[in-house]
């Protein structure tokens, strides 16, 4: 079984087994259930949401609607979900960006990842890969670093947007390796892939499913895998020596916990979203 198949199977099983009892007990005859995805259609988050929706539809006896609300470093989708009524008819596919990075780097956001959402289950968790266009001529992280030092400010790297985990991870590599790469942000992973294939950009951090066919075709090359334990789907050494340990793509299915103007609810047991601390006093974000 491939790594991609394991991800899909994990999403199918967890989506069904860990739904709140109220979701499975009701017929949902009033209106359709929707899953808000804070990314554009056809990317990995969208595909994952549709796999989960198919599994849920078997249990609920009706189709679910995928509502793509891309943009704003996932803020647009997260805000729409947070403002939805906590009635079980709206779910949100939360990831590293909407739960952790965006709240940490943005001075003010229109939602609180802890107070506004009740986690249902982790839907997927997988490693990031450092992937380069073969035209770059780098066959390893060390070779990429050597090239970047010879050509400072000349090698472009892609991300699906500012302040995404793809962006932050590459900036960490730049800092630790003391190299100068130029960031080119796109509106989503679906736009990044053609740019990397056409050599508009030379390298990026990404998950493997959206890139594996191009790797097999010899158009892209995997330089390293970032992981914090367990086996990688390819036989590569980790990139810990380059200073980028443990970056992972994590996505969870959540439900709105309250109306923004209404009363709060009780968090469901299961995956707990971390409260992000800021300042010397370690205070959590307050909206």
């Amino acid at each position: 079984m491939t790594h991609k198949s394991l991800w899909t199977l994990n999403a199918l099983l967890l989506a069904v087994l860990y739904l709140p009892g109220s979701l499975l007990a009701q017929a949902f005859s009033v209106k359709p259930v929707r899953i808000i995805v804070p990314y554009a259609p056809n990317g990995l988050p969208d595909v994952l949401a549709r796999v989960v929706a198919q599994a849920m539809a078997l249990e609920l006896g009706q189709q679910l609607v995928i509502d793509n609300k891309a943009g704003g470093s996932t803020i647009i989708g997260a805000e729409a979900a947070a403002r939805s009524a906590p009635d079980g008819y709206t779910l949100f596919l939360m990831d590293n960006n909407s739960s952790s990075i965006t709240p940490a780097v943005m001075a003010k956001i229109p939602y609180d990842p802890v107070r506004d959402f009740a986690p249902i289950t982790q839907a997927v968790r997988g490693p990031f890969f450092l992937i380069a266009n073969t035209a770059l001529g780098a066959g390893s992280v060390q070779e990429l670093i050597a090239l970047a030092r010879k050509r400072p400010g000349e090698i472009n790297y892609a991300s699906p947007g500012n302040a995404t985990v793809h962006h932050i991870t590459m900036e960490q590599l730049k800092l630790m390796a003391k190299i100068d790469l130029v960031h080119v942000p796109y509106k989503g992973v679906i736009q990044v892939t053609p740019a990397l294939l056409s050599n508009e950009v030379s390298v990026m951090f990404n998950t493997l499913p959206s890139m594996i066919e191009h790797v097999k075709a010899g158009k892209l090359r995997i330089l390293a895998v970032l992981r914090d334990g367990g086996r990688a789907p390819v036989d590569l050494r980790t990139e810990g020596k380059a200073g980028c340990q443990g970056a992972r793509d994590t996505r969870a299915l959540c439900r709105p916990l309250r109306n923004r103007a209404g009363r709060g609810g009780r968090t469901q047991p299961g995956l707990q979203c971390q409260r992000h601390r800021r300042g010397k006093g370690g205070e959590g974000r307050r909206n």
Side-chain angles (χ1 to χ4, degrees), residues 17-286:
L17 293 177
Y18 290 92
L19 284 174
S22 59
L23 282 181
L24 295 177
Q26 298 179 34
F28 286 99
S29 58
V30 178
K31 57 184 178 180
V33 180
R34 66 169 177 160
I35 301 178
I36 294 179
V37 180
Y39 294 94
N42 300 320
L44 181 60
D46 179 67
V47 172
L48 172 64
R50 294 179 189 279
V51 170
V52 171
Q54 289 177 5
M56 291 174 62
L58 295 176
E59 295 295 322
L60 300 176
Q62 73 171 63
Q63 295 298 311
L64 281 77
V65 176
I66 303 301
D67 189 0
N68 297 93
K69 293 185 179 295
S73 296
T74 72
I75 290 177
I76 294 175
E79 181 182 11
R83 292 184 179 276
S84 300
D87 55 9
Y89 288 96
T90 299
L91 302 175
F92 179 55
L93 189 65
M94 182 177 282
D95 67 352
N96 308 62
N97 297 317
S98 52
S99 68
S100 306
I101 297 176
T102 299
V105 302
M106 298 291 187
K108 185 177 181 180
I109 59 174
Y111 70 94
D112 187 304
V114 176
R115 295 188 301 173
D116 291 340
F117 296 99
I120 298 172
T121 183
Q122 179 173 282
V124 67
R125 185 170 182 260
F128 268 90
F129 293 81
L130 183 59
I131 303 174
N133 188 297
T134 52
L136 179 62
S140 66
V141 180
Q142 289 72 24
E143 290 180 10
L144 171 63
I145 292 173
L147 280 174
R149 287 175 177 169
K150 290 180 181 179
R151 300 161 50 190
E154 295 182 14
I155 299 175
N156 296 336
Y157 80 89
S159 83
N162 288 309
T164 57
V165 66
H166 313 68
H167 177 201
I168 299 298
T169 304
M170 187 66 82
E171 288 299 318
Q172 184 185 11
L173 174 59
K174 287 173 55 179
L175 180 64
M176 300 301 294
K178 298 180 180 180
I179 55 177
D180 182 15
L181 304 176
V182 179
H183 180 217
V184 182
Y186 291 83
K187 293 182 179 180
V189 173
I190 212 68
Q191 287 80 29
V192 167
T193 303
L196 189 59
L197 288 170
S198 66
N199 208 27
E200 182 177 313
V201 291
S202 299
V203 65
M204 74 171 297
F205 279 107
N206 203 358
T207 53
L208 194 57
S210 59
M211 299 287 182
I212 187 61
E213 294 303 321
H214 305 299
V215 172
K216 290 179 178 179
K219 298 178 181 179
L220 302 178
R221 178 178 294 142
I222 300 174
L223 305 185
V225 56
L226 306 187
R227 53 194 174 104
D228 55 9
R231 284 188 172 273
V234 289
D235 186 17
L236 293 174
R237 59 184 177 272
T238 63
E239 198 189 327
K241 293 182 179 179
C244 295
Q245 293 181 329
R248 281 182 175 269
D249 179 39
T250 305
R251 304 179 194 274
L253 196 64
C254 303
R255 67 175 178 86
L257 190 58
R258 61 175 185 168
N259 282 316
R260 294 293 298 172
R263 295 180 298 174
R266 185 175 65 182
T267 302
Q268 297 291 325
L271 180 67
Q272 297 297 317
C273 300
Q274 290 185 337
R275 181 177 296 279
H276 304 283
R277 301 181 181 276
R278 297 173 64 89
K280 295 181 180 179
E283 293 294 323
R285 177 176 295 279
R286 294 287 187 269

